[in-house]
Coordinates of all heavy atoms in Angstrom, one line a residue:
F1 N 93.2 85.6 112.9 CA 93.7 86.1 114.2 C 93.7 87.7 114.2 O 93.1 88.3 115.0 CB 95.1 85.6 114.4 CG 95.8 86.3 115.6 CD1 95.5 86.0 116.9 CD2 96.7 87.3 115.3 CE1 96.2 86.6 118.0 CE2 97.4 88.0 116.4 CZ 97.1 87.7 117.7
S2 N 94.3 88.3 113.2 CA 94.5 89.7 113.2 C 93.3 90.5 112.8 O 93.0 91.6 113.4 CB 95.7 90.1 112.3 OG 95.5 89.7 110.9
F3 N 92.5 90.1 111.8 CA 91.5 90.9 111.2 C 90.3 91.1 112.2 O 89.8 92.2 112.3 CB 91.0 90.4 109.9 CG 91.8 90.9 108.7 CD1 93.1 91.4 108.9 CD2 91.3 90.9 107.4 CE1 93.8 91.9 107.8 CE2 92.0 91.4 106.3 CZ 93.3 91.9 106.5
P4 N 89.8 90.1 112.9 CA 88.7 90.4 113.8 C 89.1 91.4 114.9 O 88.3 92.2 115.3 CB 88.5 89.0 114.4 CG 88.9 88.0 113.4 CD 90.1 88.6 112.8
R5 N 90.4 91.3 115.4 CA 90.8 92.3 116.4 C 90.9 93.7 115.8 O 90.5 94.6 116.5 CB 92.2 91.8 116.9 CG 92.1 90.5 117.6 CD 93.5 90.1 118.2 NE 93.4 88.7 118.8 CZ 94.1 88.4 119.8 NH1 95.0 89.2 120.4 NH2 94.0 87.2 120.4
L6 N 91.4 93.8 114.6 CA 91.5 95.1 114.0 C 90.2 95.7 113.7 O 90.0 96.9 113.9 CB 92.3 95.1 112.7 CG 93.9 94.9 112.9 CD1 94.6 94.7 111.6 CD2 94.4 96.1 113.7
Y7 N 89.2 94.9 113.2 CA 87.9 95.5 113.0 C 87.3 96.0 114.3 O 86.8 97.2 114.4 CB 86.9 94.4 112.5 CG 87.1 94.1 111.0 CD1 87.4 92.8 110.6 CD2 87.0 95.1 110.0 CE1 87.5 92.5 109.2 CE2 87.1 94.8 108.7 CZ 87.4 93.5 108.3 OH 87.5 93.3 106.9
L8 N 87.4 95.2 115.4 CA 86.8 95.7 116.6 C 87.6 96.9 117.2 O 86.9 97.9 117.6 CB 86.9 94.5 117.7 CG 86.2 94.8 119.0 CD1 84.7 95.1 118.8 CD2 86.4 93.6 119.9
A9 N 88.9 96.9 117.1 CA 89.7 98.0 117.6 C 89.3 99.3 116.9 O 89.4 100.4 117.5 CB 91.2 97.7 117.4
A10 N 89.0 99.3 115.6 CA 88.7 100.5 114.9 C 87.3 101.0 115.0 O 86.9 102.0 114.5 CB 89.0 100.2 113.4
G11 N 86.5 100.2 115.8 CA 85.1 100.7 116.0 C 84.1 100.1 115.0 O 82.9 100.5 115.0
I12 N 84.5 99.0 114.3 CA 83.6 98.4 113.4 C 83.0 97.2 114.2 O 83.7 96.1 114.3 CB 84.3 97.9 112.1 CG1 84.7 99.2 111.3 CG2 83.3 97.1 111.2 CD1 85.9 99.8 111.7
T13 N 81.9 97.3 114.7 CA 81.3 96.3 115.6 C 80.5 95.3 114.9 O 80.2 94.2 115.4 CB 80.4 97.0 116.7 OG1 79.5 97.8 116.1 CG2 81.3 97.8 117.7
S14 N 80.1 95.6 113.6 CA 79.4 94.6 112.8 C 80.0 94.7 111.4 O 80.3 95.7 110.9 CB 77.9 94.9 112.7 OG 77.2 94.8 113.9
I15 N 80.2 93.5 110.8 CA 80.7 93.4 109.4 C 79.9 92.4 108.6 O 79.3 91.5 109.1 CB 82.2 93.0 109.4 CG1 82.4 91.6 109.8 CG2 83.0 94.0 110.2 CD1 83.7 91.0 109.5
R16 N 79.8 92.7 107.3 CA 79.4 91.7 106.3 C 80.6 91.3 105.5 O 81.2 92.2 104.9 CB 78.3 92.2 105.4 CG 77.9 91.2 104.4 CD 77.0 91.8 103.2 NE 77.8 92.8 102.5 CZ 77.3 93.4 101.4 NH1 76.0 93.2 101.0 NH2 78.0 94.3 100.7
T17 N 81.0 90.1 105.5 CA 82.1 89.7 104.7 C 81.6 89.7 103.2 O 80.6 89.1 102.9 CB 82.6 88.2 105.0 OG1 81.5 87.3 104.9 CG2 83.1 88.2 106.4
G18 N 82.3 90.5 102.4 CA 81.9 90.7 101.0 C 82.5 89.6 100.1 O 83.3 89.9 99.2
G19 N 82.2 88.3 100.4 CA 82.8 87.2 99.6 C 83.8 86.5 100.5 O 84.5 87.1 101.3
S20 N 83.8 85.2 100.4 CA 84.7 84.4 101.3 C 85.5 83.4 100.5 O 85.1 82.8 99.5 CB 83.8 83.6 102.3 OG 84.6 82.7 103.1
I21 N 86.8 83.3 100.9 CA 87.7 82.3 100.4 C 87.6 81.0 101.2 O 87.6 79.9 100.7 CB 89.1 82.8 100.4 CG1 89.3 84.0 99.4 CG2 90.1 81.7 100.1 CD1 89.2 83.6 98.0
E22 N 87.4 81.2 102.5 CA 87.2 80.0 103.4 C 85.9 80.2 104.2 O 85.9 80.6 105.4 CB 88.4 79.9 104.4 CG 89.7 79.6 103.7 CD 90.8 79.4 104.7 OE1 90.5 79.0 105.9 OE2 92.0 79.6 104.4
P23 N 84.7 79.9 103.6 CA 83.5 80.1 104.3 C 83.3 79.3 105.5 O 82.7 79.8 106.5 CB 82.4 79.7 103.2 CG 83.2 78.9 102.2 CD 84.6 79.4 102.2
Y24 N 83.8 78.1 105.6 CA 83.7 77.3 106.9 C 84.5 78.0 108.0 O 84.0 78.1 109.1 CB 84.3 75.9 106.7 CG 83.3 74.9 106.0 CD1 83.6 74.2 104.9 CD2 82.0 74.7 106.6 CE1 82.8 73.3 104.3 CE2 81.2 73.8 106.0 CZ 81.5 73.1 104.8 OH 80.7 72.2 104.2
T25 N 85.7 78.6 107.6 CA 86.4 79.3 108.6 C 85.7 80.5 109.1 O 85.6 80.8 110.3 CB 87.8 79.7 108.0 OG1 88.5 78.5 107.6 CG2 88.7 80.4 109.1
D26 N 85.1 81.3 108.2 CA 84.4 82.5 108.5 C 83.2 82.2 109.5 O 83.0 82.9 110.4 CB 83.9 83.2 107.3 CG 85.0 83.9 106.5 OD1 86.2 83.8 107.0 OD2 84.7 84.5 105.5

């Protein structure tokens, strides 16, 4: 819930997740 909103709010319009704990969720 919180992280996608914070990334976008800060101007990070594209991300690469650097490793996943829940890959299906991502």
Side-chain angles (χ1 to χ4, degrees):
F1 169 78
S2 59
F3 273 20
R5 296 180 182 212
L6 285 176
Y7 281 125
L8 186 59
I12 294 77
T13 52
S14 294
I15 67 168
R16 178 193 65 177
T17 56
S20 177
I21 293 293
E22 296 186 23
Y24 279 123
T25 304
D26 288 359

